[in-house]
Amino acid sequence: MYCVKVELKERSYPIYIGEGLLSDPSVFPLKKLDKVMIVTNSTVAEYYLKLLTDTFVKIGCQVEYVLLPDGEQYKTLESLNLIFTALLKSNHGRDTTIVALGGGVIGDVAGYAAASYQRGVRFIQVPTTLLSQVDSSVGGKTAVNHELGKNMIGAFYQPTTVVVDTLTLKTLPKREVNAGLAEVIKYGAILDHSFFEWLETHIDDLVALDLQTLQHCIGHCCQIKADVVNRDETEKGDRALLNLGHTFGHAIEAHLGYGQWLHGEAIAVGMMMAAVLSEKLGHLSFNDVARLERLLAKANLPTVSPDGMTPDDYLPHMMRDKKVLAGKLRLVLLQSLGQAYIADNTDRQLVIDAINHCSQFD
Amino acid sequence: MYCVKVELKERSYPIYIGEGLLSDPSVFPLKKLDKVMIVTNSTVAEYYLKLLTDTFVKIGCQVEYVLLPDGEQYKTLESLNLIFTALLKSNHGRDTTIVALGGGVIGDVAGYAAASYQRGVRFIQVPTTLLSQVDSSVGGKTAVNHELGKNMIGAFYQPTTVVVDTLTLKTLPKREVNAGLAEVIKYGAILDHSFFEWLETHIDDLVALDLQTLQHCIGHCCQIKADVVNRDETEKGDRALLNLGHTFGHAIEAHLGYGQWLHGEAIAVGMMMAAVLSEKLGHLSFNDVARLERLLAKANLPTVSPDGMTPDDYLPHMMRDKKVLAGKLRLVLLQSLGQAYIADNTDRQLVIDAINHCSQFD
């Protein structure tokens, strides 16, 4: 078992990463008679709800659950209210614990519910997708969507504990594993060159779901993100580096309609565009760009734009990015592989060239 | 002008109290070109929206407003969403300011919106009812109701500034002024015997809306509450004392349906029940109970249960109170007039006796 400590003073918490942790009562900060509400969806519930419930029952907890519909389109105030209704119907008090069992959507909605129910109750994250294990379960961002914008309603709210059971990746669709690897590769690219090299050596083991390799990899990513969040909890500075590829990637997701491409797939192409742009600005070598492209391809991720999508399709979405300041585009670019920076006011024609470079033409 | 400072380290803020402050640009922490969203309802808007808008325009702000339907029954997630929609439609970013212009409902909903919009934006309170001036605008509690419970969904979120214009009380219905006086009397009863005595002397001036007396009274109440909040921001301890009468009072509101009795009216009866129970436990004298009853009556507040409401109508609601721990009722009771305490596990029959004592039988 691997343990990463997220240091945020009185709101510090541990992330436990290991094989079979869903069945290990010792990693959960619960005791006899504690009331617990598990928030999950029907897909995840089928595999893991009974297993986790049994673990909590072994501790002596009173366990209930609420099922949310599965999918990003249900990351809404209505789903949030389903959780509140379940809690109130069973008289859960301020001493209750909400447990998120699932991917990023479940974690975001359940976390915001925990932040809001009676103005804040205890929250445990049990992320079951690679993406949520390395990204959304670290850092305390919780949110639901509004019809006019993604993640517009939420709170910064830290969990008490995060429990990552690597076995859950065995039942995850391959495409979602790969999408998670896009965020893994991102950590290497923005902040850690030696981790990037480690990934070049171990990418096949990761794709093949070797659990020891995955455990090391997830632990390392959580450590990187924990360090960043520690320096910048509410995203005033450094934390923005975590958005490498996201400004381009969000444009792909928004243009295609959310749910067509997975988030990680769009981010993979976005990172390629950021890398090509960084090369055009004289930072990266051609060889560095090729290394990133090779690594993404080995993780079965796309490295070129969706069919027919042009710079004109990207730019309007990109200008709506939360990083835009005073109408000027701000992008995360690479100084080198392992070192990202924020670029203000990048030449618009170079951005268009980079998008074109990563597009498929017949 | 009276100024109370609420001390919460980097989240400290001032409360300004005075006559005509809605027209005084100097008390608002806003500058030229700031975007402002005023949240109010049609009743309050008719009297004060133009006045406040003019003040902000004078500063050079871009001012918009959103009207919520008037009444406690609209303190819901749906009303919250009206605010988010208004903000998103006009592209308000993280640097926007939400201003609550109205009573407790407006303050609670607008405050929770400010806590949640893009995970937190600036918030200014302009309370226009006596209740919100002495209570809900101090301390950072924000919330909406759920159909199964009051204030069950919310956040602790501090405003940047609170501006109390005593002139607004001149347009407030008398019944609401009196309901506000219930909370004023509560401060004396729980924490400040000499303020209780001051109230016994000045209650007629307060009922008659003498502005100088009101300004002193509001300032003193804010100071008492600010001190309590300072000691215990997130209600782990002392802050619970502010709930004197609230466990009984919420049961009245829930049983009758919200909006039948005003909050302060229900709290007045709840305080009587707590006082009677304290007398049965040997703390208060009969004379102390009578003093409280007399003071409430002078403020034209009820001191007995609604017609026909029995202990069986109270208890299920009371067990859903946020103070309930491990299924046990916890009540705020009085050691003496001016000194409250938390009683765990009070004898159920005594609670029933106290409710019966304050009920009207034919």
Side-chain angles (χ1 to χ4, degrees), chain A residues 77 81 84-85 88-89 91 94-95 112 115-119 141-143 146 152-156 322, chain B residues 77 81 84-85 88 112 115-119 141-143 146 148 152-156 235 320 322 325:
Chain A
L77 284 175
N81 209 32
F84 297 139
T85 303
L88 286 165
K89 275 198 175 152
N91 287 317
R94 262 191 203 164
D95 52 354
Y112 186 40
S116 307
Y117 185 64
Q118 301 203 12
R119 300 194 188 92
K141 277 192 184 180
T142 71
H146 185 281
M152 283 297 166
I153 309 164
F156 286 101
K322 285 207 271 295
Chain B
L77 284 176
N81 210 31
F84 297 139
T85 302
L88 285 164
Y112 186 39
S116 307
Y117 186 64
Q118 301 205 12
R119 301 194 185 91
K141 277 195 184 178
T142 71
H146 185 281
L148 297 177
M152 283 295 165
I153 310 163
F156 287 100
E235 196 162 335
R320 259 184 232 132
K322 287 200 280 291
L325 263 190

Side-chain angles (χ1 to χ4, degrees), chain A residues 78-147:
Chain A
E78 286 73 37
S79 294
L80 195 71
N81 209 32
L82 291 178
I83 304 175
F84 297 139
T85 303
L87 290 163
L88 286 165
K89 275 198 175 152
S90 302
N91 287 317
H92 282 251
R94 262 191 203 164
D95 52 354
T96 192
T97 303
I98 293 180
V99 178
L101 173 67
V105 171
I106 290 291
D108 279 7
V109 179
Y112 186 40
S116 307
Y117 185 64
Q118 301 203 12
R119 300 194 188 92
V121 298
R122 208 149 55 140
F123 177 45
I124 297 174
Q125 290 254 41
V126 185
T128 60
T129 65
L130 182 56
L131 179 60
S132 60
Q133 290 171 354
V134 300
D135 181 30
S136 54
S137 68
V138 189
K141 277 192 184 180
T142 71
V144 297
N145 298 331
H146 185 281
E147 55 180 13

Side-chain angles (χ1 to χ4, degrees), chain A residues 299-310:
Chain A
N300 305 308
L301 287 161
T303 53
V304 293
S305 244
D307 263 348
M309 194 173 163
T310 68

Side-chain angles (χ1 to χ4, degrees), chain B residues 269-309:
Chain B
V269 174
M271 284 195 285
M272 279 308 298
M273 289 174 177
V276 168
L277 183 50
S278 304
E279 187 273 324
K280 287 182 190 298
L281 290 165
H283 305 318
L284 288 195
S285 65
F286 281 113
N287 184 46
D288 288 337
V289 178
R291 281 173 70 190
L292 178 63
E293 186 169 11
R294 214 155 37 226
L295 190 53
L296 292 168
K298 278 196 169 181
N300 306 307
L301 287 160
T303 53
V304 293
S305 243
D307 262 347
M309 194 172 164

